[in-house]
Amino acid sequence: PLCLVANKKNMKKWIFNSGRHKGSVDFSLLLIRIIAGGLMIAEHGYPKLLKLAAGPPYTFADPIGLGEMPSFLLIIFAEFVCSVLIIIGLGTRLAAIPLAFAMGVVTLLVNYSKGLPMMELPILFFTLFFVLIIMGAGKYSVDRLISRG
């Protein structure tokens, strides 16, 4: 709390604290899960799911040569299903893998030639999902409930 940083010594500790507190890490992971997963669903996954539900014709990029429809279904799985799993913290590390992969593909194969402004958002998403692969869901998750038995 800011009231504790009233004197110089406390202010210095607050400003230069390395942030290595278990509670703040868990809360940060929760925020990453909710924000990254929620934005991915709202801006990418749900609109693609609606496009699928509307029926053909489907047009979608095929950057890795699987075909338009398989690529479309895989990206819906990643951006919608995996994002839901990440938000609730269920199988978080596994759910983050398809999303990190998808953002890597978008960055390197789809948007690379368009320059940094078009790569910025996928790089940010890639980074957030990669952090979740490394760190896991944290304390505030279904993963935690399962791991505790």
Side-chain angles (χ1 to χ4, degrees):
L2 292 177
C3 61
L4 297 177
V5 296
N7 66 45
K8 274 186 169 183
K9 185 178 179 182
N10 285 341
M11 175 144 332
K12 183 178 175 183
K13 280 184 176 180
W14 183 74
I15 291 172
F16 297 106
N17 185 318
S18 66
R20 293 184 165 259
H21 301 291
K22 181 65 175 147
S24 61
V25 170
D26 288 321
F27 184 70
S28 298
L29 290 168
L30 175 65
L31 283 177
I32 289 171
R33 289 189 359 249
I34 292 171
I35 299 299
L39 287 173
M40 185 57 67
I41 289 170
E43 295 298 319
H44 303 281
Y46 187 65
K48 287 180 181 84
L49 188 62
L50 291 178
K51 184 177 174 182
L52 179 67
Y58 305 111
T59 56
F60 193 73
D62 182 23
I64 58 175
L66 298 174
E68 280 187 30
M69 193 60 176
S71 293
F72 187 48
L73 293 173
L74 286 171
I75 202 68
I76 290 171
F77 173 76
E79 292 179 351
F80 190 82
V81 176
C82 291
S83 293
V84 169
L85 294 172
I86 283 173
I87 290 170
I88 64 174
L90 177 60
T92 303
R93 283 188 166 108
L94 289 177
I97 292 170
L99 283 159
F101 180 81
M103 294 302 102
V105 168
V106 169
T107 300
L108 298 174
L109 299 179
V110 178
N111 290 345
Y112 185 78
S113 64
K114 298 173 186 172
L116 188 58
M118 292 300 292
M119 294 172 19
E120 181 179 0
L121 190 57
I123 290 170
L124 181 58
F125 273 120
F126 172 84
T127 304
L128 293 172
F129 294 128
F130 195 73
V131 166
L132 292 174
I133 293 168
I134 294 168
M135 299 290 295
K139 179 178 171 182
Y140 308 111
S141 66
V142 175
D143 288 348
R144 169 70 180 240
L145 296 173
I146 293 170
S147 71
R148 293 182 84 193

